[in-house]
Every structure is written in C-alpha cells, then in structure tokens.
Amino acid sequence: MERLLSKLLPLALYNELYSVCNFDELSEIRLRVDKPVFYAVNGKYKRLGDGTFRIGSTDVEQILSRATKSSLYAYNTTILDGFITYDGGIRIGITGEGVIKNGGLCAVKNITSLCIRIPHYIEIRDKRIDGIVKNFANTLIISKPGYGKTTLLRYMIKSLSEYGYNVLALDERGELSGISEGVQTIDLGECTDVALGIPKISAYASQVRSMRPDVIATDEIFGEKEIDCIADCVRCGVKVLATVHSDDLSNLKNSALYSRLLQHIRYVVTIIGIGNIDKVVDLKKPQL
C-alpha cells in the first residue's frame, strides 16, 4: 500500500503523512482545496500537523491524473457516481461542481474535495463471527459509513472460502479484492471468485448462473432492484453475505424497503469501529 500511495499522492503530502502515521493502519485521507488535511488511522480522524499544510487545486488535478492514468474522461461514468477506483482497491470519492445537461448530471468539474479510502485485510478475532462462518446462514453486516463493514466482509469471505464454500464476490467498484491489472492484491481465499467491474444487478443473474456459488458476497446493498435480486438468489438456494449502511437495526426494521431484505436474513452483525463487533443478532431466534 505504501508503494501505491507514493505513486498516487503529491510528494509533499506523501512525506507529511509518512512522518506521522503507519500506512498499514491508514484507512482514509480527506483532502479539501485550501483547507487542512485530515486522515483516519483505525477509523479515528486526525488533522495533519498543526493545520497549516494545505492542498491546492493543482494537487487535486495531479491525484486525479495519476488515478486515471491521465485519462480522466474515460472515468466519467464512475465520476458521475461519485468515485474513482485506483490500483489496489483504493477508492477515491469525488465532489465538486455538477454540470447539468437535458435535466441530468453529465459531468463534474472544478473538483474541490477528495476522500481517499484505503482498503486493508484484518484478521478479526471474534468467536461470534467464527460461529456464523462455521454454520453459515444469510448474514447482513450493518454500520455507519467508515466503521469497517467492508473490512469485516473481506474477513468473512476469506473465512468462508477456507471452510470450502464457493464464494462469488460481486466487486463492482474494485474495492473488495483490490484487483490491479488482473492481479488480486487482497487475499479473499482460494475458493473465492471475483466478478470485477460488472454492475451488480447484471451480476446477480449472469454470474450466479455461470459460476454456481454457494455464497454470494456483496458490499453496500442499495435500492429495491438489488433487494429483489437477493431474494431471487435465496430462492435459488444461494446463501448471501452482504453489508448495508445503517446506524441501527431498528431503522432497517422500520423501513418498508429494508424490512423486506431482513425477511431473508438470519444473522445481523453491527459494528462500532474497525474490527470492533458490537452485536450479533439471530433474527430467527425469539428475542427476549
């Protein structure tokens, strides 16, 4: 990861970060034009130095040029979705000024903020998670953004693979597997297949039929269409491991849309920090 960041970041920013943190623990860098730089280590945010170090618009342009290999326009579709995926599964969130054409967003210009999210594989020692893996049933991981859902998802994918499950990871944004030029930089296990860059709605149908997975794993479920796809997978006998943004299980239960998803789920795992499991709820077990 250190090598990838050295290729992505301007030298002055790289040196400043290198002097204050361990890149093996660095999870996020937040850059805003003409404002202090913030970074997260193990999910906790810190301001870089005394706040006097700033980045300019040319720094943002340099990072985007490196991330897109000098072909920014080739990435316009993902930019419209708010991100670029860089080598090693690094995801760069983008915001700026939208360009509207015929009533729809057609481009983003004058980019002013970047959120660089850095993936890690972490061994998560928790008997409750190991118990789910050993006798796997449909599982949903929930937390607020940045609390470690994807980190736990990677760990569980690899653990399921080690138990002999054929796992199909739907990695639409390249964040789960960190595949770079066909090489998987994050180990998801010997029995895991990765559907990289394929829109998830398409992958649920085409990849499930062709790859015959025991478990399908996906990050950040969103919307009615995807929930319908998950219901179809469960109906076909494929188990599901997924994540969703939520600050509390009760909010999902009270949602007309996501309560439908919960009908197909056995276990819900809530997280309160990277590698820090809060609760494991068995939805099929009577709650006291």
Side-chain angles (χ1 to χ4, degrees):
M1 194 56 65
E2 183 177 323
R3 179 183 61 84
L4 291 174
L5 289 175
S6 70
K7 292 169 59 179
L8 175 66
L9 301 176
L11 181 61
L13 174 58
Y14 175 86
N15 287 338
E16 287 286 331
L17 285 166
Y18 186 82
S19 68
V20 296
C21 69
N22 182 347
F23 283 176
D24 289 336
E25 299 175 344
L26 182 66
S27 58
E28 192 169 290
I29 308 167
R30 302 195 73 103
L31 306 176
R32 303 173 177 96
V33 172
D34 296 328
K35 293 184 179 181
V37 173
F38 286 81
Y39 63 98
V41 174
N42 294 326
K44 296 181 179 179
Y45 285 99
K46 300 179 180 180
R47 188 173 63 181
L48 184 60
D50 60 5
T52 58
F53 184 91
R54 309 289 172 99
I55 65 154
S57 57
T58 55
D59 295 307
V60 169
E61 291 170 3
Q62 184 180 84
I63 291 169
L64 292 175
S65 177
R66 292 176 176 180
T68 61
K69 299 174 176 60
S70 301
S71 300
L72 188 62
Y73 289 108
Y75 286 75
N76 191 57
T77 299
T78 63
I79 290 174
L80 294 181
D81 288 332
F83 71 95
I84 289 174
T85 301
Y86 180 59
D87 293 349
I90 295 173
R91 188 170 73 172
I92 306 173
I94 295 170
T95 193
E97 181 183 348
V99 179
I100 306 299
K101 183 177 181 180
N102 297 326
L105 182 66
C106 66
V108 178
K109 66 178 183 178
N110 299 329
I111 293 169
T112 55
S113 296
L114 301 178
C115 176
I116 302 174
R117 300 181 64 181
I118 301 158
H120 296 284
Y121 178 82
I122 298 174
E123 292 284 339
I124 298 173
R125 302 299 181 187
D126 191 296
K127 291 181 180 180
R128 295 169 296 176
I129 299 303
D130 294 340
I132 292 175
V133 169
K134 290 177 182 178
N135 299 283
F136 188 72
N138 298 333
T139 299
L140 186 66
I141 302 167
I142 68 172
S143 80
K144 298 177 182 179
Y147 273 49
K149 293 184 306 301
T150 306
T151 300
L152 177 58
L153 180 61
R154 291 191 194 99
Y155 173 78
M156 292 187 71
I157 289 172
K158 185 178 180 183
S159 297
L160 287 166
S161 174
E162 290 173 347
Y163 268 90
Y165 288 96
N166 291 309
V167 182
L168 174 63
L170 304 188
D171 195 8
E172 182 176 356
R173 292 177 288 197
E175 194 175 13
L176 272 178
S177 61
I179 288 181
S180 175
E181 298 180 350
V183 178
Q184 188 171 309
T185 61
I186 299 174
D187 183 10
L188 296 179
E190 294 180 349
C191 295
T192 298
D193 305 299
V194 179
L196 178 67
I198 301 173
K200 287 199 288 181
I201 300 303
S202 300
Y204 279 112
S206 62
Q207 296 291 301
V208 168
R209 284 199 302 268
S210 62
M211 297 307 297
R212 197 200 63 73
D214 301 310
V215 178
I216 192 165
T218 181
D219 204 9
E220 298 183 5
I221 292 173
F222 185 80
E224 185 174 7
K225 288 184 178 179
E226 188 166 4
I227 290 173
D228 288 341
C229 289
I230 286 174
D232 281 340
C233 289
V234 173
R235 176 181 53 80
C236 295
V238 179
K239 299 181 188 296
V240 173
L241 171 63
T243 76
V244 70
H245 284 142
S246 180
D247 60 354
D248 192 81
L249 175 57
S250 63
N251 290 334
L252 294 182
K253 290 181 176 179
N254 292 330
S255 164
L257 179 59
Y258 288 95
S259 61
R260 285 178 42 209
L261 171 64
L262 292 177
Q263 294 175 10
H264 305 287
I265 299 298
R266 174 69 183 266
Y267 298 108
V268 174
V269 180
T270 60
I271 305 174
I272 54 176
I274 294 177
N276 192 351
I277 311 302
D278 181 22
K279 299 176 183 177
V280 175
V281 179
D282 184 346
L283 295 180
K284 304 303 181 183
K285 182 178 180 180
Q287 303 299 307
L288 299 178

